[in-house]
Amino acid sequence: MNEQALKKAVTELITLVLNNASAGGAHENGPIPVELSARHVHLSEKDAIALFGAPLTHARDLSQPGQFLCKERVRLIGPKGVMDNVAVLGPSRGKSQVEISRTDARALGVDAPVRLSGDIAGTPGMVLASQNGIIGLSEGVIVAARHIHMTPQDAARFGVKDGDKVSVRLASERPLVLEDVLVRVSDKFSLAMHIDADEGNSAGWKKGIDGVITARS
Amino acid sequence: MNEQALKKAVTELITLVLNNASAGGAHENGPIPVELSARHVHLSEKDAIALFGAPLTHARDLSQPGQFLCKERVRLIGPKGVMDNVAVLGPSRGKSQVEISRTDARALGVDAPVRLSGDIAGTPGMVLASQNGIIGLSEGVIVAARHIHMTPQDAARFGVKDGDKVSVRLASERPLVLEDVLVRVSDKFSLAMHIDADEGNSAGWKKGIDGVITARS
């Protein structure tokens, strides 16, 4: 056995030990379906009515139970740019929220922070328009922090809990490991990791790509 | 020492051993300055003259010795979109080449493959325009594969050689490990890792961010 082969064998053994140790022994690491969240907005019922004159209407179910793509579309108007035909997700929420990539943020001219969905205090605002109305949000524009939705059963088999951060490897065309991926656990969720368009493009993401947990913290 | 603290200590020890093993013992892992390559074109002298009526002119030196940003700018015209004010890098090359992100490729409507700079056989073409001229490239549009420029001295201290692929960790706002990073060695290079705008946005890259080699293959 030459030096290189020995080194490879030792490395593989150590990796195995390391994975087992960080997995707390017998936990699974994947596969976790990875979905790309394109830019989209969530609307309060009041904002939906201001824009469309009626509540949101269902077009297609999404992977998370109860969540759906709406027939309605909006225009995002920022100080530096405009984006048309942006998806609206339902059902309506307590507060409106705009989720964009950092690339979008630059094009629109807003300094959107990386935040977990719903955590919008102190974020920038945006003007939203439809063919029937226009509204100004005083806050709510974020770059969504990468995260994994999972059930309590998933959390148990992966050996993680709500609020944990994990590293996830995507064995895609441009393979990478995304660190600081937030774990969100609820019995209303379905197992899916959500990344944004920048992360998807960096990885060479395609529909059907899975992720594997490589570290827990 | 509780189970968690023990696990942490063992993990740290194993990581140390693992890094040492994969580094071949005494090699360095970083820091490596990480630079973001925004979309740009390289032009042949003939194409530069067709577009600007004169050879390229120097505006500002870049990190790689002899490479410079030009005063000239071009418009990229694809089947689905147009991008203005795109940087031209000099000096002129044997063949013109357009380097864009996957986000740009989608907006322009071209299916640009991930390639190493210079490897343009079979890639899509693009129309380039200036205020004085317009040309059609029959090929040359790529998404540049992430890579590290280094000198033979850098390669020796990192324990790598030209053509190797390494994994590099960016401890940025959105930390990640980019795998399959190509090592390019020449005494004409200066140490710098080049990533594209999608990779930069995914990482929350800012000027001054360094990378560290976490694995060699």
Side-chain angles (χ1 to χ4, degrees):
Chain A
M1 196 178 235
N2 63 23
E3 193 193 326
Q4 193 160 10
L6 180 66
K7 196 181 292 175
K8 186 157 176 278
V10 171
T11 304
E12 281 173 5
L13 176 64
I14 293 176
T15 304
L16 199 69
V17 171
L18 193 64
N19 281 345
N20 256 329
S22 68
H27 288 126
E28 294 177 27
N29 293 320
I32 298 170
V34 178
E35 298 178 349
L36 192 151
S37 291
R39 73 181 74 102
H40 65 269
V41 307
H42 300 278
L43 294 174
S44 67
E45 191 164 343
K46 184 179 155 223
D47 287 343
I49 288 171
L51 282 169
F52 306 112
L56 298 173
T57 52
H58 176 286
R60 176 168 66 77
D61 281 340
L62 298 174
S63 75
Q64 294 308 305
Q67 301 294 303
F68 56 89
L69 176 70
C70 300
K71 288 181 186 159
E72 292 78 14
R73 297 263 162 174
V74 292
R75 167 179 285 183
L76 304 184
I77 305 173
K80 271 187 60 185
V82 167
M83 291 186 165
D84 282 319
N85 204 34
V86 174
V88 179
L89 304 193
S92 53
R93 293 188 174 189
K95 286 185 179 178
S96 295
Q97 175 174 304
V98 178
E99 296 184 38
I100 55 178
S101 70
R102 190 143 283 180
T103 299
D104 294 340
R106 205 152 289 163
L108 290 162
V110 292
D111 188 17
V114 178
R115 292 281 185 94
L116 185 62
S117 183
D119 177 18
I120 61 169
T123 60
M126 177 75 69
V127 173
L128 307 187
S130 72
Q131 297 197 329
N132 302 312
I134 184 162
I135 60 171
L137 303 180
S138 60
E139 62 181 15
V141 182
I142 64 169
V143 175
R146 46 209 186 208
H147 59 275
I148 307 174
H149 295 270
M150 60 176 77
T151 64
Q153 291 72 28
D154 292 323
R157 69 190 174 89
F158 290 132
V160 296
K161 58 181 194 306
D162 189 59
D164 279 3
K165 288 190 171 176
V166 296
S167 297
V168 178
R169 178 165 193 267
L170 276 60
S172 42
E173 185 196 357
R174 308 167 92 182
L176 46 69
V177 178
L178 297 171
E179 301 184 5
D180 283 5
V181 182
L182 193 83
V183 171
R184 300 179 61 193
V185 180
S186 163
D187 54 16
K188 293 184 188 122
F189 289 157
S190 162
L191 182 63
M193 174 168 172
H194 285 172
I195 60 174
D196 74 9
D198 289 336
E199 291 161 338
N201 284 327
S202 296
W205 176 91
K206 282 181 186 159
K207 218 170 256 191
I209 289 281
D210 289 322
V212 169
I213 295 174
T214 59
R216 295 157 173 79
S217 60
Chain B
M1 194 178 239
N2 64 24
E3 192 193 327
Q4 192 160 11
L6 180 65
K7 196 182 291 176
K8 188 158 175 277
V10 171
T11 304
E12 281 173 5
L13 176 64
I14 292 175
T15 305
L16 198 68
V17 171
L18 193 63
N19 281 344
N20 255 328
S22 68
H27 288 125
E28 294 178 28
N29 292 318
I32 297 169
V34 178
E35 299 178 349
L36 192 151
S37 291
R39 76 182 71 102
H40 65 269
V41 308
H42 300 276
L43 294 174
S44 67
E45 190 164 345
K46 186 180 155 221
D47 287 343
I49 287 171
L51 282 169
F52 306 112
L56 298 173
T57 53
H58 176 286
R60 177 168 65 76
D61 280 340
L62 299 173
S63 74
Q64 295 308 307
Q67 302 294 305
F68 55 89
L69 176 70
C70 299
K71 288 181 185 159
E72 292 78 14
R73 297 264 162 174
V74 292
R75 165 180 287 184
L76 304 183
I77 305 174
K80 270 188 59 185
V82 167
M83 291 186 166
D84 281 320
N85 204 34
V86 174
V88 178
L89 304 193
S92 54
R93 293 187 174 189
K95 286 185 180 179
S96 295
Q97 176 174 306
V98 178
E99 295 184 39
I100 55 179
S101 69
R102 191 144 281 181
T103 300
D104 294 340
R106 206 152 288 163
L108 290 163
V110 291
D111 188 16
V114 178
R115 292 281 185 95
L116 184 62
S117 182
D119 176 20
I120 60 169
T123 60
M126 176 75 67
V127 172
L128 307 187
S130 71
Q131 297 197 330
N132 302 312
I134 185 162
I135 60 171
L137 303 180
S138 60
E139 61 180 16
V141 181
I142 64 169
V143 176
R146 45 209 185 209
H147 59 275
I148 308 174
H149 295 271
M150 61 176 78
T151 64
Q153 291 74 27
D154 293 323
R157 70 189 174 88
F158 291 132
V160 297
K161 60 182 193 306
D162 189 60
D164 279 2
K165 287 189 170 177
V166 296
S167 297
V168 178
R169 178 166 193 266
L170 275 60
S172 43
E173 185 196 356
R174 309 168 91 183
L176 47 69
V177 178
L178 297 171
E179 301 184 5
D180 283 3
V181 182
L182 191 83
V183 171
R184 301 179 60 192
V185 180
S186 163
D187 55 14
K188 292 182 187 124
F189 289 158
S190 163
L191 182 63
M193 174 167 171
H194 285 172
I195 60 175
D196 75 9
D198 289 337
E199 292 162 337
N201 284 329
S202 296
W205 176 92
K206 281 179 186 159
K207 218 169 256 192
I209 289 282
D210 289 323
V212 169
I213 295 174
T214 59
R216 294 158 174 79
S217 61

